[in-house]
Structures are given as structure tokens and as C-alpha cells.
RNA sequence: GGCACCGUAGCCAAGUGGUAAGGCAGGAGACUGCAAAUCUCUCAUCGUCGGUUCGAUUCCGACCGGUGCCUCCA
């Protein structure tokens, strides 16, 4: 197998990757803030992380993944206050929706989904360590801040020149108590509205709540240890979120926080970043209503490299729906055929080599998909010829299974409805009779009736086959 | 203003210093009663202009166009 390589944002280069202990990859992925359902842009990142997870497992490594759920922050408190509910009442259903969406998209479950509110003690402990190390201070507003002037490494990940005058930058207006404008909150003093919705805890610095950045550091290190193998997230998190995580974690432990930082690019719509404030978001639910399958959406996302921006368009989505239809038909054929030939065996070997190489090369899913389609084509051609070698078929099935275990782009057939199947069979029998009598008008009417129920049929030398197409 | 990234056929997209994977759509054909599926054939000179080179889409520069980040943000 070729070396497994990943782009590391820390060094801005592609590097060979292996877990520090040689066996288990400790992976931390920044999860959603659960104040309303995640949109497709968020899910592009989660799908990228799913690809990463599956790619690592393809290599034979175990993965211990943490995806946090940020269930206390400014937006959550604001929303809870507006609705007059506690933050828990607000976030619980959103967490459920998140898991349901992930399941629909076939995103493999992480080993841990820690909620920030369950790790308050660990967060307080982290702030204490920072305080005793002299890098945290309590300001006049009773909040505790991290002093970036005490952490010379600050800015290494994002390479932002902290002294630059950012004339076009959005400037924060609500923090006055900090010693330095770039310092960030570790612990925020509680306000009355925080107390009202259950977003305040006791601490050595008084009632308050954790800062956003602190949450990830505390949960990551508590569950996975002080040095992670990989920390992943969307590119927008690079600054300040990941920069601040590095600062807090490393200032506390004196150890590197993460060996690899991996960032997924954005999903764009109408030429702009998909974001609620732009007003161009769509959700998993929206797509499901449009009849876009999980397989199609996965194909769409994986058809562009994760470090390249991807534009969501109806035309591109249609292409993925059709592409995945072809993969599904092929998958059915692979299950149906009885034997293969030398060409099939060769196609299987090529697929394994090409797709594995592509996925090992910084998760080049588009190239892997290309290899998969070349395999589909070569295999179809092989099946159209004669074949009598069951072992060739077994190799083809195995190769396809292995690569699809990473991409997971075969659409569901959803044909376990016995009643429907019975009706379809009876219709097909009626049509066969009509065809035998050369009553093609009647035969075509049956086919039309089936199509209206979402059933497509194919006449073959071995009889008529049917499949559900929607 | 600062820091990055991107610009390959109608659409999506991979890729390489030596004349461009793959998918969708389109065209022609085989198969079919007709379809569907599948197969065969077909469909680009890689934003523009310079430079380096025997040779550049691939390296360098300028320009044009697009996107993101610069403390809400996947």
C-alpha cells in the first residue's frame, strides 16, 4: 500500500501520516453549535471528516473520534432567552435532528459526542492551569482572558500578523475589559440572562460560563489526551478558534496540541459561502424533499477535493443523482451475475490499486470516484462478454465493496415492501402476457402505470427485471 | 488594506514539463416490438499576455475574473 499522506495546515504541506501509537488515530472534529439544524455547508465538513475517518480505517488503523456538541454559547443563550426556555430544552431536539441527519447521510458515528455542558469542571481545571502558568488573567468585567502576549507562538497556524492594521476587518465592539484586543475569553462572567436559561456555573472566578474555544480544548484533551493525532474542522475555524485552542492547550500542557490540522473548504451557493447570514442555506431536510438521496449527496460532495471550494447547483446535483444511479445499477448487476472473466479480474485489481492510491493521497476522492467509474465500465463490458470464472467475480465484488466502504455512494433500493413487490410482479406478468400476444399498446400501458408508482422495468433475455427509482 | 486559495469542454471535475482521468448533458450506432440498462464511436488545447525551456495546461511574472479569512461562523 502506498504511504498515507495528508495536508497539514500547520506546515502547509502534504506529509506522511500515521497515528502516534501506530494503531489508533485520535481524531478530534469540531462539531455543530446546536441552536438550529446544521445546513449543507456544515455537512460538507462533516462529510469530509467522514471520508477522513473511513480513509484512515481503510488503512487498517482504528479511529477514536470525538465530535463535540457546543450546547452553550451566545447564540444558544440568545435563542433560549427569546423563547423563554432553558438552553437544555432548546438544544436537546436540535441534537436529535443532528444525529438523524448524520445517519441519513451515512456519516459514521464518532466514538464520543461530548456536550460542552457536561465538561464544565474540566474546563474550569484548564483555566486554573492557565492561571497558575501566568497566561490567564481576570479582568475588570469579572471574566477571565487568555493573554496572547504570553504565548509567542500565537498565529502560527493562521499566519496572521497580529500587528497588522485590519482596515477592512470586522471589528468586535463588545469587549472593553481585555488588556489586549486579541485576548480571548476563557471564562465569561454570568449575566442575568445566562442565569435565567441555565447557562451559568460556579467557578473560582464567580458565576459564569466557558468561552467557546475553551470547550474544545478541554473536551479534546480529557477524552483523547494532550496531543491529538488529527484535529479537523472547517477552514473558517482556523482563525481564531483553532489558533486559540492551540494557545490554551499548549500553554497549559507545554506539549503540541495536535500533530495534524486538517481543514475542509466551504460549500458555496450562488457564488457565495453558504451561511445563515448570507441567507443562502439549505438543509438536509430540503434536499430530502427534493428527492436527493444520501448516495447522491455524498457523490456530489466527494466529486470535488475537500480542500477546494464546491458550488452547490441543481445541475451538479442532477449529475450526481444520475451518476449514482449508474453505480446502483452496477451494484445490482454485481450481485446478480454468476461468474466473470480475466478482464473483470483485471478491472478489480486496477480499481483497488488506483482508488487506494487516490484516497491515500490526501483523500483524493474525485480521483477515487474516477477509478470507480472506470471499474464500472470495464466490468460491464466484461459481463457483456462471456465469463465462467467465479473467482474473478468474487474479486470484483470484494474490490467494489472495499472502495464503496469508503465512499458509500450506492443508493438504497428500498424494495423490501412485500405488498408493493407482489403488485409489481402481477403487473409484470400481465405485461408479459400482453407482449406475448403482441399487444404492445396494453404492454406499454402497464409499464406506464408502473412508472407512475416509481417502478422502472427492464426487459432482458432472462425475463423482465424491475427496480424502484424513487 | 493584510493573508490565502481558485480559474481545465454546456455543467461538475482529476491531472501531468513532452501534446488532457472520470461523471452528467449532447450527437451517431448496436441491442429492444418500443423502451430501459449496457456496449461502441463522438464531443476541450487547459482565464489573458509575457518569460524560462528543445518543449508548458503543468514553472516564473504581470494582468483580468471569482471565493474565503482578518475574533458570530463548518
Amino acid at each position: 500500500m502506498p504511504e498515507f499522506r495528508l495536508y497539514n495546515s500547520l506546515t502547509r504541506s502534504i506529509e506522511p501520516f500515521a497515528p502516534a501509537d501506530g494503531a489508533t488515530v485520535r481524531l478530534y472534529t469540531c462539531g455543530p453549535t446546536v441552536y438550529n439544524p446544521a445546513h449543507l455547508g456544515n455537512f460538507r465538513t462533516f462529510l469530509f471528516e467522514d471520508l477522513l475517518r473511513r480513509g484512515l480505517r481503510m488503512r487498517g488503523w482504528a479511529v477514536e473520534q470525538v465530535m463535540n456538541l457546543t450546547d452553550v454559547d451566545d447564540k444558544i443563550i440568545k435563542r433560549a432567552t427569546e423563547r423563554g426556555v432553558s438552553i437544555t430544552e432548546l438544544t436537546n431536539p436540535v441534537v436529535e435532528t443532528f444525529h438523524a441527519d448524520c445517519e441519513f447521510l451515512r456519516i459514521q458515528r464518532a466514538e464520543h459526542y461530548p456536550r460542552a455542558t457536561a465538561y464544565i469542571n474540566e474546563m474550569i481545571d484548564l483555566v486554573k492551569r492557565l492561571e497558575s502558568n501566568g497566561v490567564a488573567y481576570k479582568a475588570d468585567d469579572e471574566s477571565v482572558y487568555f493573554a496572547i502576549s504570553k504565548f509567542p507562538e500565537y498565529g502560527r497556524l493562521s499566519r496572521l500578523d497580529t500587528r497588522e492594521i485590519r482596515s477592512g476587518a470586522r471589528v468586535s465592539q463588545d469587549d472593553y475589559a481585555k488588556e489586549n484586543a486579541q485576548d480571548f475569553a476563557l471564562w465569561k462572567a454570568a449575566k442575568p440572562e445566562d442565569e435565567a436559561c441555565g447557562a451559568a456555573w460556579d467557578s473560582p472566578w464567580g458565576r459564569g460560563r466557558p468561552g467557546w474555544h475553551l470547550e474544545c480544548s478541554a473536551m479534546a484533551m480529557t477524552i483523547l489526551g494532550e496531543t491529538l493525532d488529527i484535529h479537523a474542522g472547517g477552514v473558517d475555524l482556523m482563525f481564531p478558534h483553532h489558533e486559540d485552542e492551540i494557545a490554551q492547550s499548549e500553554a497549559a500542557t507545554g506539549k503540541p496540541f495536535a500533530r495534524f490540522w486538517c481543514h475542509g473548504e466551504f460549500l458555496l451557493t450562488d457564488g457565495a459561502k453558504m451561511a445563515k447570514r448570507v441567507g443562502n442555506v439549505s438543509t438536509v431536510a430540503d434536499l430530502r424533499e427534493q428527492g436527493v438521496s444520501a448516495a447522491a449527496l455524498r457523490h456530489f460532495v466527494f466529486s470535488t477535493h475537500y480542500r477546494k471550494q464546491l458550488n452547490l447547483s441543481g445541475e451538479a446535483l442532477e449529475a450526481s443523482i444520475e451518476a449514482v444511479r449508474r453505480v446502483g445499477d452496477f451494484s445490482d448487476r454485481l450481485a446478480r451475475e454468476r461468474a466473470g472473466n480475466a478482464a473483470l479480474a483485471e478491472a478489480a485489481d486496477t480499481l483497488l490499486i488506483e482508488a487506494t492510491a487516490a484516497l491515500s493521497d490526501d483523500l483524493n476522492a474525485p480521483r477515487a470516484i474516477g477509478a470507480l467509474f472506470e471499474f464500472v465500465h470495464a466490468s460491464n463490458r466484461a459481463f457483456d462478454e462471456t465469463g465462467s470464472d467465479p473467482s474473478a467475480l468474487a474479486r470484483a465484488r470484494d474490490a467494489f465493496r472495499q472502495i464503496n466502504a469508503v465512499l458509500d455512494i450506492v443508493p438504497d433500493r428500498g424494495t423490501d415492501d412485500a405488498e408493493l413487490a407482489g403488485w409489481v410482479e402481477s403487473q409484470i406478468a400481465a405485461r408479459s402476457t400482453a407482449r406475448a400476444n403482441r399487444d404492445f399498446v396494453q404492454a406499454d400501458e402497464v409499464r406506464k402505470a408502473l412508472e407512475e408508482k416509481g417502478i422502472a422495468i427492464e426487459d432482458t433475455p432472462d425475463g423482465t427485471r424491475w427496480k424502484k427509482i424513487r
Side-chain angles (χ1 to χ4, degrees):
Chain A
M1 269 215 200
E3 194 171 57
F4 191 85
R5 295 159 14 112
L6 275 179
Y7 181 85
N8 188 348
S9 301
L10 214 48
T11 58
R12 298 202 179 181
S13 59
I14 294 175
E15 302 174 27
F17 172 85
D21 71 3
T24 303
V25 180
R26 283 160 312 147
L27 169 66
Y28 187 89
T29 47
C30 284
T33 298
V34 285
Y35 70 105
N36 68 6
H39 60 252
L40 255 24
N42 301 309
F43 278 110
R44 183 190 181 193
T45 296
F46 302 140
L47 281 166
F48 144 59
E49 290 159 351
D50 183 57
L51 178 70
L52 172 60
R53 179 189 169 87
R54 291 172 185 247
L56 293 166
R57 296 180 74 178
M58 173 191 79
R59 300 298 304 205
W61 293 312
V63 175
E64 184 171 10
Q65 181 186 357
V66 174
M67 177 172 280
N68 69 290
L69 301 169
T70 297
D71 62 351
V72 53
D73 91 321
D74 293 356
K75 278 181 194 161
I76 291 170
I77 291 165
K78 183 163 178 266
R79 182 72 54 96
T81 303
E82 284 165 7
R83 298 194 182 166
V85 297
S86 71
I87 56 170
T88 311
E89 287 168 319
L90 176 72
T91 58
N92 275 345
V94 180
V95 170
E96 273 177 43
T97 301
F98 176 68
H99 285 308
D101 285 347
C102 284
E103 191 180 344
F104 171 73
L105 291 174
R106 307 175 179 179
I107 293 172
Q108 289 186 347
R109 282 189 68 85
E111 281 63 34
H112 310 272
Y113 289 100
R115 294 175 69 131
T117 52
Y119 284 78
I120 301 295
N121 291 141
E122 288 80 357
M123 294 171 196
I124 290 172
D125 287 345
L126 184 56
V127 179
K128 280 190 197 160
R129 279 174 88 176
L130 292 169
E131 204 174 34
S132 66
N133 287 357
V135 294
Y137 63 91
K138 187 173 177 181
D140 293 341
D141 63 358
E142 302 295 307
S143 295
V144 181
Y145 294 92
F146 183 95
I148 68 155
S149 60
K150 304 279 176 59
F151 189 75
E153 297 275 277
Y154 194 82
R156 196 159 65 101
L157 177 66
S158 59
R159 288 172 176 65
L160 283 181
D161 186 337
T162 54
R163 287 150 306 201
E164 196 61 54
I165 292 166
R166 300 179 303 284
S167 60
R170 286 172 281 152
V171 179
S172 167
Q173 297 169 354
D174 55 356
D175 293 314
Y176 333 98
K178 298 186 285 188
E179 290 172 0
N180 183 314
Q182 299 244 319
D183 290 352
F184 55 91
L186 296 165
W187 187 261
K188 296 183 171 186
K191 295 180 204 150
E193 54 265 39
D194 299 347
E195 294 284 2
C197 63
W201 292 264
D202 287 321
S203 84
W205 314 280
R207 297 281 289 172
R209 60 187 171 93
W212 174 44
H213 314 301
L214 184 73
E215 300 176 2
C216 284
S217 287
M219 293 186 280
M221 293 198 292
T222 300
I223 301 170
L224 296 174
E226 294 182 343
T227 299
L228 313 171
D229 283 309
I230 303 175
H231 190 133
V235 276
D236 52 340
L237 260 34
M238 193 185 279
F239 186 89
H241 185 56
H242 292 161
E243 202 70 77
D244 291 350
E245 281 189 58
I246 290 172
Q248 316 167 309
S249 306
E250 300 192 356
T253 67
K255 296 174 191 166
F257 179 46
R259 299 170 55 228
F260 276 71
W261 285 86
C262 298
H263 293 96
E265 255 297 347
F266 281 133
L267 178 68
L268 270 41
T269 326
D270 308 322
K273 168 183 176 178
M274 181 178 284
K276 291 188 188 93
R277 68 168 178 171
V278 180
N280 60 353
V281 299
S282 47
T283 62
V284 172
D286 293 336
L287 250 60
R288 291 179 78 161
E289 274 173 32
Q290 292 168 36
V292 180
S293 67
L297 193 61
R298 292 179 69 91
H299 173 94
F300 169 69
V301 168
F302 295 153
S303 68
T304 298
H305 187 85
Y306 76 89
R307 285 192 287 114
K308 219 174 147 186
Q309 293 177 337
L310 167 63
N311 207 321
L312 180 70
S313 71
E315 210 172 350
L317 229 36
E318 281 303 319
S320 286
I321 290 170
E322 204 46 38
V324 132
R325 194 271 314 146
R326 183 167 154 87
V327 174
D329 281 356
F330 174 75
S331 177
D332 290 345
R333 184 171 194 182
L334 206 50
R336 187 199 316 135
E337 294 284 348
R338 313 306 310 172
N341 57 20
L344 182 70
E346 192 187 328
D349 292 348
T350 303
L351 170 65
L352 235 32
I353 290 165
E354 296 292 326
T356 305
L359 292 166
S360 299
D361 182 15
D362 195 27
L363 300 171
N364 195 329
R367 219 169 87 206
I369 290 176
L372 185 70
F373 276 95
E374 282 175 345
F375 167 73
V376 168
H377 182 243
S379 298
N380 272 323
R381 191 164 47 185
F383 284 137
D384 283 353
E385 296 162 4
T386 50
S388 56
D389 181 3
S391 74
L393 176 62
R395 274 159 86 176
R397 283 176 176 163
D398 183 61
F400 182 74
R401 182 190 53 72
Q402 282 191 51
I403 300 310
N404 190 243
V406 180
L407 300 172
D408 207 352
I409 55 172
V410 175
D412 284 328
R413 279 288 179 231
T415 46
D416 10 323
D417 183 341
E419 196 180 324
L420 176 72
W423 176 76
V424 171
E425 295 295 348
S426 71
Q427 290 297 300
I428 288 175
R431 177 167 169 277
S432 295
T433 306
R435 291 179 73 213
N437 297 331
R438 304 196 64 79
D439 183 355
F440 297 120
V441 175
Q442 175 63 25
D444 289 348
E445 267 175 32
V446 173
R447 181 165 62 197
K448 206 172 164 218
L450 285 164
E451 270 168 14
E452 280 165 9
K453 298 279 188 189
I455 304 297
I457 56 175
E458 296 171 19
D459 295 324
T460 78
D462 303 323
T464 300
R465 282 200 298 269
W466 65 279
K467 65 183 179 186
K468 220 172 157 184
I469 52 174
R470 62 179 156 76

Coordinates of all heavy atoms in Angstrom, one line a residue, chain A residues 40 97-106 282-294 297 317 412:
Chain A
L40 N -26.3 22.4 4.8 CA -25.5 21.6 4.0 C -24.0 22.0 4.0 O -23.1 21.2 3.8 CB -26.0 21.7 2.5 CG -26.7 20.5 2.0 CD1 -27.4 19.6 3.0 CD2 -27.8 20.9 1.0
T97 N -32.0 16.0 15.9 CA -32.0 16.3 14.5 C -30.6 16.1 13.8 O -30.5 15.5 12.8 CB -32.5 17.7 14.2 OG1 -33.8 17.9 14.7 CG2 -32.5 18.0 12.7
F98 N -29.6 16.6 14.5 CA -28.3 16.4 14.0 C -27.9 14.9 13.8 O -27.4 14.6 12.8 CB -27.3 17.1 15.0 CG -25.8 16.9 14.5 CD1 -25.4 17.5 13.4 CD2 -25.0 16.1 15.3 CE1 -24.0 17.3 13.0 CE2 -23.7 15.9 14.9 CZ -23.2 16.5 13.7
H99 N -28.2 14.2 14.8 CA -27.9 12.7 14.7 C -28.7 12.1 13.6 O -28.2 11.2 12.8 CB -28.1 12.0 16.0 CG -27.0 12.3 17.0 ND1 -25.7 12.2 16.8 CD2 -27.1 12.7 18.3 CE1 -25.0 12.5 17.8 NE2 -25.8 12.8 18.8
A100 N -29.9 12.5 13.4 CA -30.8 11.9 12.4 C -30.2 12.3 11.0 O -30.2 11.4 10.1 CB -32.2 12.4 12.6
D101 N -29.8 13.5 10.9 CA -29.2 14.0 9.6 C -28.0 13.2 9.3 O -27.7 12.8 8.1 CB -29.0 15.5 9.6 CG -30.2 16.3 9.5 OD1 -31.3 15.7 9.2 OD2 -30.2 17.5 9.8
C102 N -27.1 13.0 10.3 CA -25.9 12.3 10.1 C -26.2 10.9 9.6 O -25.5 10.3 8.7 CB -25.0 12.3 11.4 SG -24.2 13.8 11.7
E103 N -27.1 10.3 10.3 CA -27.5 8.9 9.9 C -28.0 8.8 8.5 O -27.6 7.9 7.7 CB -28.5 8.4 10.9 CG -28.7 6.9 10.8 CD -29.8 6.3 11.7 OE1 -30.1 7.1 12.7 OE2 -30.2 5.2 11.5
F104 N -28.8 9.8 8.1 CA -29.3 9.8 6.8 C -28.2 9.9 5.8 O -28.1 9.2 4.7 CB -30.3 11.0 6.5 CG -30.6 11.2 5.1 CD1 -31.5 10.3 4.5 CD2 -30.1 12.2 4.4 CE1 -31.9 10.5 3.1 CE2 -30.4 12.4 3.0 CZ -31.3 11.6 2.4
L105 N -27.2 10.7 6.1 CA -26.0 10.9 5.2 C -25.0 9.8 5.3 O -23.9 9.9 4.6 CB -25.4 12.3 5.5 CG -26.3 13.5 5.1 CD1 -25.6 14.8 5.5 CD2 -26.5 13.5 3.6
R106 N -25.3 8.8 6.1 CA -24.4 7.7 6.3 C -23.1 8.1 6.9 O -22.0 7.5 6.6 CB -24.1 7.0 4.9 CG -25.4 6.6 4.2 CD -25.1 6.0 2.9 NE -26.3 5.6 2.2 CZ -26.3 5.0 1.0 NH1 -25.2 4.9 0.3 NH2 -27.4 4.7 0.4
S282 N -29.3 25.8 2.7 CA -30.3 24.7 2.5 C -29.9 23.6 3.5 O -28.8 23.5 3.8 CB -30.5 24.2 1.1 OG -29.2 24.0 0.5
T283 N -30.9 22.8 3.8 CA -30.7 21.8 4.8 C -30.8 20.4 4.3 O -31.2 20.2 3.1 CB -31.7 21.9 6.0 OG1 -33.0 21.7 5.5 CG2 -31.6 23.3 6.7
V284 N -30.5 19.4 5.0 CA -30.6 18.0 4.6 C -32.1 17.7 4.4 O -32.5 17.1 3.4 CB -30.1 17.1 5.7 CG1 -30.5 15.6 5.4 CG2 -28.6 17.2 5.8
A285 N -32.9 18.3 5.2 CA -34.4 18.1 5.0 C -34.9 18.7 3.7 O -35.7 18.1 3.0 CB -35.1 18.8 6.2
D286 N -34.3 19.8 3.3 CA -34.7 20.4 2.0 C -34.3 19.5 0.8 O -35.1 19.3 -0.1 CB -33.9 21.7 1.8 CG -34.4 22.8 2.7 OD1 -35.5 22.7 3.3 OD2 -33.6 23.7 3.0
L287 N -33.2 18.9 0.9 CA -32.7 18.0 -0.1 C -33.5 16.7 -0.2 O -33.9 16.2 -1.3 CB -31.2 17.7 0.1 CG -30.4 18.3 -1.0 CD1 -30.5 19.8 -1.0 CD2 -28.9 17.9 -0.8
R288 N -33.9 16.2 1.0 CA -34.7 15.0 1.0 C -36.0 15.3 0.4 O -36.5 14.4 -0.4 CB -34.9 14.6 2.5 CG -33.6 14.0 3.1 CD -33.8 13.6 4.5 NE -34.4 12.3 4.6 CZ -34.4 11.5 5.7 NH1 -33.8 12.0 6.8 NH2 -35.0 10.4 5.7
E289 N -36.5 16.4 0.6 CA -37.8 16.8 0.0 C -37.7 16.8 -1.6 O -38.6 16.5 -2.3 CB -38.3 18.1 0.5 CG -39.1 18.0 1.7 CD -39.4 19.4 2.3 OE1 -39.6 20.4 1.5 OE2 -39.5 19.5 3.5
Q290 N -36.5 17.2 -2.0 CA -36.3 17.3 -3.5 C -35.9 15.9 -4.0 O -35.7 15.8 -5.2 CB -35.1 18.2 -3.8 CG -35.4 19.7 -3.5 CD -34.2 20.5 -3.6 OE1 -33.3 20.3 -4.4 NE2 -34.1 21.5 -2.7
G291 N -35.9 14.9 -3.2 CA -35.6 13.6 -3.6 C -34.2 13.3 -3.9 O -33.8 12.4 -4.6
V292 N -33.3 14.1 -3.3 CA -31.9 13.8 -3.4 C -31.5 12.8 -2.4 O -31.7 13.0 -1.2 CB -31.0 15.1 -3.2 CG1 -29.6 14.8 -3.4 CG2 -31.5 16.2 -4.2
S293 N -30.9 11.7 -2.8 CA -30.6 10.6 -1.9 C -29.2 10.9 -1.2 O -28.5 11.8 -1.6 CB -30.4 9.3 -2.6 OG -29.3 9.4 -3.5
A294 N -29.0 10.2 -0.1 CA -27.7 10.3 0.6 C -26.6 10.0 -0.3 O -25.6 10.7 -0.3 CB -27.7 9.4 1.8
L297 N -25.9 12.8 -2.6 CA -25.2 14.0 -2.0 C -23.8 13.7 -1.6 O -22.9 14.5 -1.8 CB -26.0 14.4 -0.7 CG -25.6 15.7 -0.1 CD1 -25.8 16.8 -1.1 CD2 -26.3 16.0 1.2
L317 N -26.0 18.7 -8.9 CA -26.8 17.7 -8.1 C -27.4 16.6 -9.0 O -27.4 15.4 -8.7 CB -27.8 18.4 -7.3 CG -27.9 18.1 -5.8 CD1 -26.6 17.9 -5.1 CD2 -28.7 19.3 -5.1
D412 N -29.8 3.5 -1.9 CA -30.7 2.5 -1.3 C -31.8 2.1 -2.3 O -32.3 3.0 -3.1 CB -31.5 3.1 -0.1 CG -30.5 3.1 1.1 OD1 -29.7 2.3 1.2 OD2 -30.7 4.1 1.9

